[in-house]
Amino acid sequence: MEKEIKKIYLGVYGVYLKGDKVLVIKKARGPYTGKYDLPGGGLNFDETASQCLEREMMEETNTKVLKKTLIGINEYQCQYPREDGSIKDFHHLGVYYRVNLLIENLKTTPDGQDSNGAVFVPVSELNEKNTSPICLPMIKQALDVKVS
């Protein structure tokens, strides 16, 4: 028998643009498995959104946030099957920042959790089939935002 699990997930994400490319991760699990997504992740109880952004950028991409500007929030709801056969009812709320980063040694390998590695992808190559639906509109919105 399939068990349904309901989850509200609050994450904080960074949009880093370099020319016509954006820094993304390749998702290793969850509803966006196999798709490009923005680096970032879940807010811990004892940290601010800014601290979460800095921690997640370091964990997933090995980069340091130098500057950030809030872009906005976005949300997405879906259901997806988990490995154990249960169905997860997923409500994803994301806080998005346009960031400037210090990149010395980009992490292109799996982090053992959520990311199969970071990569730069031309924005023009991102679409509904290869990119998580919550981040795609925020990447497009970030094109009009300058980091201050």
Side-chain angles (χ1 to χ4, degrees), residues 93-148:
L93 182 66
V95 178
Y96 294 84
Y97 290 88
R98 170 92 189 258
V99 296
N100 280 348
L101 299 175
L102 173 62
I103 303 174
E104 293 180 336
N105 186 23
L106 186 65
K107 186 175 196 165
T108 58
T109 58
D111 67 0
Q113 296 180 38
D114 200 33
S115 170
N116 277 329
V119 63
F120 281 95
V121 175
V123 173
S124 62
E125 291 181 14
L126 301 177
N127 58 57
E128 289 83 18
K129 290 184 179 181
N130 68 9
T131 308
S132 76
I134 192 170
C135 84
L136 191 56
M138 301 313 286
I139 293 169
K140 292 176 182 175
Q141 189 171 330
L143 294 170
D144 298 325
V145 174
K146 293 189 186 218
V147 181
S148 56

Side-chain angles (χ1 to χ4, degrees), residues 9 13 23-30 32-41 55-62 106-120:
Y9 184 80
Y13 304 89
L23 179 63
V24 293
I25 62 164
K26 296 173 273 184
K27 291 297 280 187
R29 65 179 186 185
Y32 316 133
T33 300
K35 294 187 176 196
Y36 294 124
D37 198 16
L38 290 167
R55 175 182 54 79
E56 287 286 348
M57 294 301 291
M58 180 57 72
E59 288 175 4
E60 292 186 348
T61 66
N62 195 39
L106 186 65
K107 186 175 196 165
T108 58
T109 58
D111 67 0
Q113 296 180 38
D114 200 33
S115 170
N116 277 329
V119 63
F120 281 95

